[in-house]
């Protein structure tokens, strides 16, 4: 197994391992260390990775996470473990039957609108388009470290409300209040292994800073979003079939670039469970 850097911002690329095969504890330790240091792991060339092997890989990093929303489509209840989700634009009778089928998605953190967001999310690329549909990852530890003093003072001493309506990909689609989920989280969290602080906000879901009037809150959030999305903190992943990608869902934000809805894109997704977030 070889491990190399993916970019200056974050990420490690792992080659020379077949995760369908059993592996020894030293390999698992090396993967965990690389994940803690680099926040994103891309394991290349995983040919026909079985759902069981996919789950086993996730469980190197912690217990498997439950879905925050139950599978509502019969197509999602296949032979895979119940925790599976497919991020996919496959259609049945002309209709989408999976999650997040199309389009660009703003930077976000999965499940930050519930008490216990997933600690990590893992996607396996089964079919990916020739062009488009890249996933972008921002390093929230680096973003925190580089904050100007006035913004750091705010985030160190405040919490923020995170809001989401399922299937929305843009901030202004978070509509119908009766369908929203929301939770107040710290604006700074610590990496579970390294103890590094991370700037825990995102453009799609972070609505307001607790205890601040709307104008001040909006102005500060706008600056924080622009800051954390600066190219120096971001790695852009161009998918290859067989990529198995795991991201730290507490210390990174992720976004998706647009792609042709008629180009098939089918990824299998599991999460690693997380606990309540401590400031
Ligand atoms: C997700 C997600 C991005 C993508 O699965 O949580 O944001 O590139 N996916 O499909
Ligand atoms: Mn996501």
């Amino acid at each position: 197994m070889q491990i190399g850097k993916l970019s200056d911002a974050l990420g490690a690329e792992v080659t020379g391992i077949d995760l369908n095969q059993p592996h020894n504890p030293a390999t698992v330790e090396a993967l965990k260390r690389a994940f803690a240091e680099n926040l994103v792991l891309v394991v290349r060339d995983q040919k026909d990775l079985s759902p069981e092997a996919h789950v086993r890989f996730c469980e190197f990093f912690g217990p498997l996470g439950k879905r925050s929303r139950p599978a509502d489509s019969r197509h999602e209840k296949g032979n895979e473990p119940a925790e599976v989700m497919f991020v996919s634009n496959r259609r049945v009778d002309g209709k989408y039957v999976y999650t997040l089928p199309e389009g660009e998605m703003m930077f976000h953190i999965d499940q930050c609108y519930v008490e216990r967001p997933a600690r990590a999310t893992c996607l396996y690329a089964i079919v990916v388009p020739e062009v488009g549909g890249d996933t972008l990852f921002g390093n929230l530890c680096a973003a925190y470290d580089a904050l100007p003093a006035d913004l750091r003072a705010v985030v160190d001493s405040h919490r923020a409300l995170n809001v989401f309506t399922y299937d929305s990909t843009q901030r202004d689609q978070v509509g119908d209040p009766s369908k929203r989920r929301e939770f107040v989280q710290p604006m700074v969290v610590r990496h579970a292994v390294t103890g590094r602080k991370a700037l825990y906000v995102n453009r799609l879901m972070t609505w307001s800073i607790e205890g601040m009037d709307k104008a001040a809150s909006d102005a500060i959030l706008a600056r924080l979003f622009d800051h954390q999305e600066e190219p120096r903190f971001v790695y852009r992943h161009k998918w290859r079939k067989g990529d198995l990608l795991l991201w730290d869902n507490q210390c990174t934000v992720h976004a998706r670039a647009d792609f042709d809805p008629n180009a098939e894109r089918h990824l299998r997704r599991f999460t690693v469970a997380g606990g309540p977030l401590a400031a």
Side-chain angles (χ1 to χ4, degrees), residues 47-223:
K47 195 171 164 10
D48 302 323
L49 184 74
S50 70
E52 294 71 29
H54 191 171
V55 167
R56 185 172 58 199
F57 174 78
C58 290
E59 287 176 341
F60 296 163
F61 305 91
L64 203 62
K66 301 241 179 318
R67 295 182 48 145
S68 71
R69 165 171 68 162
D72 49 10
S73 141
R74 66 196 157 87
H75 301 284
E76 291 189 279
K77 296 174 187 147
N79 296 322
E80 288 81 11
E83 295 85 354
V84 77
M85 180 185 272
F86 287 94
V87 173
S88 172
N89 60 3
R90 280 192 185 161
R91 295 168 221 226
V92 175
D93 301 330
K95 288 206 185 82
Y96 290 134
V97 291
Y98 296 111
T99 305
L100 300 172
E102 63 174 40
E104 187 181 345
M105 245 194 130
M106 279 183 174
F107 273 99
H108 65 280
I109 298 172
D110 296 336
Q111 305 171 1
C112 63
Y113 46 88
V114 300
E115 185 181 6
R116 294 158 187 263
R119 178 162 140 51
T121 305
C122 186
L123 287 176
Y124 173 55
I126 298 170
V127 183
V128 287
E130 200 59 34
V131 289
D134 298 351
T135 309
L136 292 80
F137 297 92
N139 184 332
L140 298 181
C141 296
Y144 176 86
D145 290 344
L147 278 175
D150 65 323
L151 291 180
R152 188 187 292 221
V154 173
V155 300
D156 277 342
S157 59
H158 287 79
R159 302 191 303 165
L161 178 68
N162 294 283
V163 178
F164 189 56
T165 311
Y166 287 115
D167 300 323
S168 59
T169 57
Q170 304 295 314
R171 189 182 181 89
D172 60 11
Q173 293 169 351
V174 178
D176 188 347
S178 71
K179 297 207 178 114
R180 289 180 188 170
R181 302 198 63 179
E182 53 179 64
F183 200 81
V184 174
Q185 300 284 12
M187 297 183 78
V188 179
V189 301
R190 276 188 185 275
H191 188 282
V193 176
T194 64
R196 285 185 78 185
K197 289 182 169 184
L199 174 62
Y200 197 79
V201 298
N202 67 86
R203 194 180 294 276
L204 180 60
M205 300 164 177
T206 305
W207 226 237
S208 55
I209 302 176
E210 205 178 42
M212 252 188 205
D213 70 57
K214 182 166 169 20
S217 167
D218 285 353
I220 288 180
L221 286 176
R223 285 179 63 199

Side-chain angles (χ1 to χ4, degrees), residues 39-55:
L39 305 178
V40 169
L41 286 185
V42 175
V43 189
R44 298 284 191 188
D45 305 316
Q46 297 308 294
K47 195 171 164 10
D48 302 323
L49 184 74
S50 70
E52 294 71 29
H54 191 171
V55 167

